[in-house]
């Protein structure tokens, strides 16, 4: 019988510093490649993996690399506590334990054929980045695609080296709350962004990963654009332990975020972002 808790060993191939307290870790399997599912993906965009270090526990992260890439998997980690601090002390070549992928992920088949507005803030970018990679690999299947990505300062915008590549296939809007002297883009989640977004609201979907600027985006952009709540998909973050529906650590309302989610319709959830 397969043990769903069974982790496998991965090696840190590369570490990139993306901001003062965020690092990207490129993970490779000790032997071979990451296994693909029937769609040829190593995870569905929006699913999560549990990464662990012996003696420090484990924590969920949404992979940020292309789900088609089976040679490596990238996680982007904000340093907040025990496990993430231990990860930030790790060096290239060190070993971690990984299990998953778990959860549902974004409904990519439902989103295909529609316009899409993705909204995220700060460290919510990893699952959205994986989704963008999926869309780029299947560009003709999707309508008009927009990313609105907000952060506190320009230094807090993560995955900056991907923006140029993404802009070839999708429209990218970056916003910050505290601009520096080099910043020429929007400040805050401004309603003027609506003028830049051309979608067919009757056939459009939104994807959010937060908490960041989610409520702001909802009121200033998604609702005025006419996207209904049941077409807004939210990737929720909750404290987790088992990751597979056994421990009740991740309960939100009557749902288990690890198993029923982490992606929910906006009208399905209890709107408690913390
Ligand atoms: C589905 C999912 C995907 C995630 N993806 C990412 C990701 O791509 N990158 C990333 O940096 N983080 C991500 N997170 C959050 C990440 O799992 C937590 O930051 C991590 O568990 C903290 O572990 P720790 O041992 O370092 O912190 P702890 O020592 O456990 O806690 C330190 C502090 O962080 C708070 N905290 C712990 N877990 C969470 C959480 N899940 N949400 C909010 N606050 C929390 C605690 O309340 C405490 O204040 C994700 C969480 C989920 C549920
Ligand atoms: S993390 Fe254990 S039930 Fe969800």
């Amino acid at each position: 019988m397969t043990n769903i808790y069974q982790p496998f060993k991965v090696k840190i191939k590369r570490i990139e510093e993306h901001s003062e307290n965020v690092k990207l870790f490129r993970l490779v399997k000790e032997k071979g490649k990451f296994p693909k599912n029937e769609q040829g993906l190593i995870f569905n965009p929006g699913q999560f993996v549990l990464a662990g270090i012996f003696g420090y526990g484990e924590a969920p992260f949404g992979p940020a690399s292309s789900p088609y890439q089976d040679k490596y998997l990238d996680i982007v980690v904000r340093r907040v506590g025990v496990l993430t601090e231990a990860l930030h002390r790790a060096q290239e070549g060190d070993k971690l334990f990984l299990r998953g992928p778990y959860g549902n992920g974004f409904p990519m088949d439902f989103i295909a054929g529609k316009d899409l507005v993705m909204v995220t803030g700060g460290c919510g970018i990893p699952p959205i980045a994986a989704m963008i990679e999926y869309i780029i690999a299947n560009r003709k299947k999707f309508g008009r695609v927009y990313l609105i990505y907000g952060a506190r300062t320009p230094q807090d915008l993560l995955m900056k080296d991907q923006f140029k590549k993404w802009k070839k296939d999708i429209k990218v809007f970056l916003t910050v709350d505290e601009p520096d002297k080099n910043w020429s883009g929007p400040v805050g989640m401004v309603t003027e962004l609506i003028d830049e977004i051309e979608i067919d609201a009757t056939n459009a979907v939104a994807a959010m990963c937060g908490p960041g600027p989610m409520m702001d985006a909802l009121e200033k952009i998604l609702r005025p654009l006419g996207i209904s709540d049941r077409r807004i998909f939210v990737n929720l973050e909750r404290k987790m332990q088992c990751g597979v529906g056994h421990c009740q650590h991740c309960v939100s309302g009557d749902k288990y975020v690890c198993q029923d989610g982490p992606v929910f319709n906006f009208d399905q959830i209890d709107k408690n972002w913390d």
Side-chain angles (χ1 to χ4, degrees):
M1 203 168 88
T2 325
N3 179 357
I4 48 171
Y5 292 109
Q6 183 72 48
F8 51 92
K9 259 190 202 167
V10 289
K11 188 169 82 173
I12 302 176
K13 174 95 174 143
R14 188 157 121 199
I15 301 177
E16 293 173 6
E17 239 175 277
H18 279 217
S19 79
E20 192 206 336
N21 61 354
V22 180
K23 287 183 179 177
L24 177 147
F25 297 86
R26 177 153 295 175
L27 309 174
V28 293
K29 281 195 82 175
E30 280 211 306
K31 273 191 201 148
K33 298 175 181 175
F34 290 94
K36 289 187 169 176
N37 62 21
E38 10 356 308
Q39 285 92 41
L41 308 173
I42 68 165
F43 60 89
N44 297 325
Q47 279 193 303
F48 64 93
V49 292
L50 283 155
I53 301 181
F54 196 68
Y56 295 92
E58 48 181 9
F61 301 99
S65 42
S66 166
Y68 289 100
Q69 176 56 263
D70 57 1
K71 293 197 189 87
Y72 62 82
L73 181 142
D74 291 341
I75 55 172
V76 177
V77 178
R78 185 159 60 105
R79 178 168 34 84
V80 293
V82 178
L83 186 267
T84 51
E85 272 169 18
L87 254 176
H88 273 241
R89 286 194 299 273
Q91 306 290 318
E92 289 175 358
D94 285 355
K95 308 270 166 50
L96 308 179
F97 291 99
L98 215 64
R99 55 190 180 95
Y102 297 132
N104 55 0
F106 288 104
M108 300 311 297
D109 288 342
F110 175 76
I111 298 171
K114 301 183 177 68
D115 293 337
L116 170 66
V117 183
M118 294 172 280
V119 184
T120 190
C123 209
I125 192 72
I128 297 288
M131 194 179 188
I132 295 171
E133 294 296 338
Y134 179 97
I135 289 166
I136 291 175
N138 299 280
R139 188 62 190 94
K140 289 201 176 85
K141 286 192 191 168
F142 295 87
R144 289 161 285 195
V145 180
Y146 297 86
L147 167 68
I148 304 173
Y149 178 29
R152 195 172 60 82
T153 71
Q155 290 70 40
D156 294 317
L157 288 166
L158 310 175
M159 305 194 75
K160 292 188 187 70
D161 54 352
Q162 301 295 313
F163 297 164
K164 201 168 155 195
K165 182 181 114 191
W166 293 347
K167 281 178 181 171
K168 289 183 191 154
D169 285 288
I170 67 167
K171 199 105 171 127
V172 177
F173 297 114
L174 306 172
T175 82
V176 299
D177 295 332
E178 296 167 23
D180 61 17
K181 60 178 173 21
N182 299 319
W183 185 256
S184 56
V187 174
M189 201 56 71
V190 286
T191 43
E192 288 77 43
L193 279 174
I194 297 178
D195 302 335
E196 314 267 348
I197 297 176
E198 286 174 18
I199 54 163
D200 170 5
T202 61
N203 194 33
V205 173
M208 295 205 282
C209 190
M214 290 216 287
M215 292 312 289
D216 221 21
L218 191 75
E219 266 143 44
K220 291 185 179 155
I221 296 166
L222 300 184
R223 289 224 167 101
L225 278 172
I227 303 178
S228 64
D229 283 5
R230 68 190 171 80
R231 285 190 168 222
I232 298 175
F233 295 93
V234 181
N235 191 316
L236 280 190
E237 284 196 6
R238 280 289 179 282
K239 279 191 169 186
M240 285 186 187
Q241 205 167 74
C242 70
V244 290
H246 290 175
C247 73
Q248 303 197 337
H249 265 73
C250 66
V251 169
S252 174
D254 62 347
K255 306 268 188 259
Y256 284 178
V257 173
C258 66
Q259 231 178 14
D260 301 316
V263 177
F264 295 92
N265 278 126
F266 186 69
D267 63 359
Q268 250 187 343
I269 57 173
D270 67 357
K271 321 279 180 340
N272 169 17
W273 303 113
D274 298 326

